[in-house]
Amino acid sequence: MRILIAAAGSRGDVAPYTGLGAELSRAGHDVALAATDTFAPLAREAGLEFRGLPADTRGHGDVTGKRDLMRAAAAFITELGQGFADAVDKGTDLLLLSTTTAPLGWHLTEATGTPSLGVYLQPTAPTGDFPPAVTGSRSLGRLANRAAGRFALRMADRVYTRAVTQLRHRLALPPASPSEVRRRQEQANWPVLHGFSTALVPRPADWRPGLDVVGNWWPHHDPAERLPHELEDFLSAGPRPVLIGFGSMASGDGERLSGIAVRALRRAGLRGILQSGSAGLTADGDDVLTVRDVPHALLFPRLAAVVHHGGAGTSAAALRAGVPAVPVPVTADQPFWARRLAALGAATDPVPFRSLTAERLADSLHHVVKQQSYSRAAATAAHHMAAENGARKTLKAIQQMTGG
């Protein structure tokens, strides 16, 4: 089959699909990844065809407040929708749609008859088990959690309104609101596979049929790839270090964050690796090394702990490596994953990004590295995750769905 995976957002919203795509390719399918141009190298390294989508998250500034987030999301989605139809050609047999691209992809399915399947990295369906992931709020009780979940979907619909109106006009489809189309999909039990571990989020019993949790899709990396020599030398030169990084968050805040990180490490008596990321973290010294992007799968198992922003991918990668974490969530679904890690016992209580100080970080690092209970909980979760194979389960689901 010719399969198109459509994903959009930051690196953590796209990279997992390179591993999923590579698994589908190995099974004999012809796989393309549609994403924004930044991710063309990731797709090609995984042996996937790449198709560009016309938007860029970097163009919408650094976002921390909820209102800013909604505004930036609406601008990004409208940009994305303008060229979304171009990514799907007539030969596509199956569309795999991420959380971000599904509310656009449904209209292509309607216009072309191409079957589609959701491949989500976040839980979005309302449930009594937890509040909506994207709001970052604490549990409100079962009834209120479900009500908040429905409200969050209506808010998301609003973000897509302009893009959907334009896309349906372009596809010569009759007008329909994002809410209307979403409800249609739900009533038809449109299938969604969720690429996260049941160790972090077991499938809620009150979800509708068609929603499944299959386990993580891990970013592709070349099995022959090795860590840079300088990093290998640093790892070998002393006790296990702590990695501190904020991924695609905190752009322009690098100097302040680097100072906090180094002071916290030294206060806790730990060696550290700073991952530069969008913030541009950097530091020098015998006890601290700065690195750029390196595969989590190679580095994380060799660490004492990870300080990260609570993104779904980084949270899962730390757990997979059996390494405890200090989550410092910034926005969107990050507080949700940070709380899930803490609830498992594999992380300290989250330190909100706005409250981060060298003293708080040093205190959390001291706890997470010295108290063995965190490492034990992370190792238990890693054992659970090792028995899951999200990519293979997805392949099996596709075969059952298409009879292929």
Side-chain angles (χ1 to χ4, degrees):
M1 282 195 305
R2 295 186 66 197
I3 299 174
L4 177 69
I5 305 172
S10 66
R11 186 186 177 97
D13 297 311
V14 176
Y17 298 109
T18 60
L20 174 58
E23 176 76 19
L24 298 177
S25 288
R26 282 192 292 273
H29 298 298
D30 183 1
V31 184
L33 176 66
T36 51
D37 288 343
T38 322
F39 303 111
L42 289 187
R44 294 188 178 122
E45 282 159 20
L48 309 177
E49 182 195 333
F50 178 77
R51 298 191 196 162
L53 294 177
D56 191 345
T57 46
R58 294 173 307 180
H60 300 294
D62 193 31
V63 175
T64 52
K66 284 185 183 147
R67 191 167 294 169
D68 288 348
L69 183 67
M70 289 286 283
R71 226 186 339 258
F76 174 70
I77 294 298
T78 302
E79 229 179 300
L80 190 65
Q82 285 167 1
F84 199 79
D86 297 331
V88 184
D89 60 22
K90 288 190 171 66
T92 302
D93 298 311
L94 179 64
L95 266 175
L96 300 186
L97 301 169
S98 74
T99 319
T100 318
T101 61
L104 298 170
W106 292 333
H107 310 281
L108 292 173
T109 296
E110 189 181 330
T112 64
T114 307
S116 63
L117 175 68
V119 283
Y120 287 11
L121 297 174
Q122 299 86 9
T124 62
T127 172
D129 289 8
F130 45 79
V134 78
T135 64
S137 60
R138 293 182 182 278
S139 182
L140 311 161
R142 295 196 65 83
L143 278 176
N145 282 347
R146 263 196 294 271
R150 289 192 291 272
F151 179 72
L153 288 177
R154 288 199 298 276
M155 288 295 98
D157 292 339
R158 283 173 58 178
V159 166
Y160 284 85
T161 300
R162 192 170 156 204
V164 163
T165 302
Q166 292 173 350
L167 184 58
R168 289 186 73 84
H169 177 73
R170 183 169 167 195
L171 295 169
L173 292 169
S177 71
S179 308
E180 223 176 299
V181 177
R182 173 176 55 77
R183 280 195 295 272
R184 251 185 253 160
Q185 297 297 97
E186 288 167 359
Q187 282 156 10
N189 287 331
W190 184 65
V192 181
L193 305 178
H194 295 82
F196 47 75
S197 175
T198 54
L200 267 179
V201 185
R203 183 193 185 279
D206 59 356
W207 269 4
R208 66 166 173 82
L211 303 178
D212 289 303
V213 179
V214 295
N216 287 87
W217 304 304
W218 301 109
H220 170 81
H221 73 89
D222 183 342
E225 191 173 0
R226 297 289 175 265
L227 294 174
H229 291 305
E230 189 187 13
L231 179 51
E232 275 291 355
D233 291 345
F234 184 79
L235 288 165
S236 306
R240 288 182 174 227
V242 168
L243 178 79
I244 300 178
F246 296 95
S248 57
M249 295 288 109
S251 177
D253 211 4
E255 196 176 328
R256 184 181 74 85
L257 289 172
S258 300
I260 287 174
V262 172
R263 288 198 304 278
L265 287 164
R266 289 178 180 157
R267 193 176 172 116
L270 297 165
R271 300 193 320 137
I273 298 169
L274 304 193
Q275 188 160 31
S276 53
S278 293
L281 298 186
T282 183
D284 295 314
D286 293 341
D287 57 345
V288 187
L289 178 72
T290 303
V291 299
R292 299 183 72 79
D293 278 337
V294 292
H296 290 162
L298 294 182
L299 177 59
F300 281 17
R302 301 178 65 183
L303 301 171
V306 184
V307 177
H308 61 75
H309 60 299
T314 314
S315 298
L319 266 192
R320 180 195 197 189
V323 175
V326 177
V328 184
V330 183
T331 190
D333 61 337
Q334 295 158 16
F336 172 80
W337 296 110
R339 284 202 192 98
R340 303 304 288 193
L341 288 173
L344 266 185
T348 61
D349 285 339
V351 180
F353 181 74
R354 290 175 188 277
S355 312
L356 185 66
T357 62
E359 292 71 29
R360 277 192 80 170
L361 183 53
D363 193 42
S364 293
L365 279 171
H366 180 79
H367 283 303
V368 86
V369 172
K370 305 294 181 210
Q371 289 181 18
Q372 290 304 304
S373 60
Y374 292 107
S375 296
R376 280 198 297 272
T380 301
H383 184 69
H384 178 108
M385 291 167 98
E388 296 174 322
N389 190 324
R392 200 155 301 153
K393 281 187 186 163
T394 304
L395 174 61
K396 197 176 280 186
I398 288 170
Q399 288 166 340
Q400 285 168 350
M401 177 183 169
T402 59

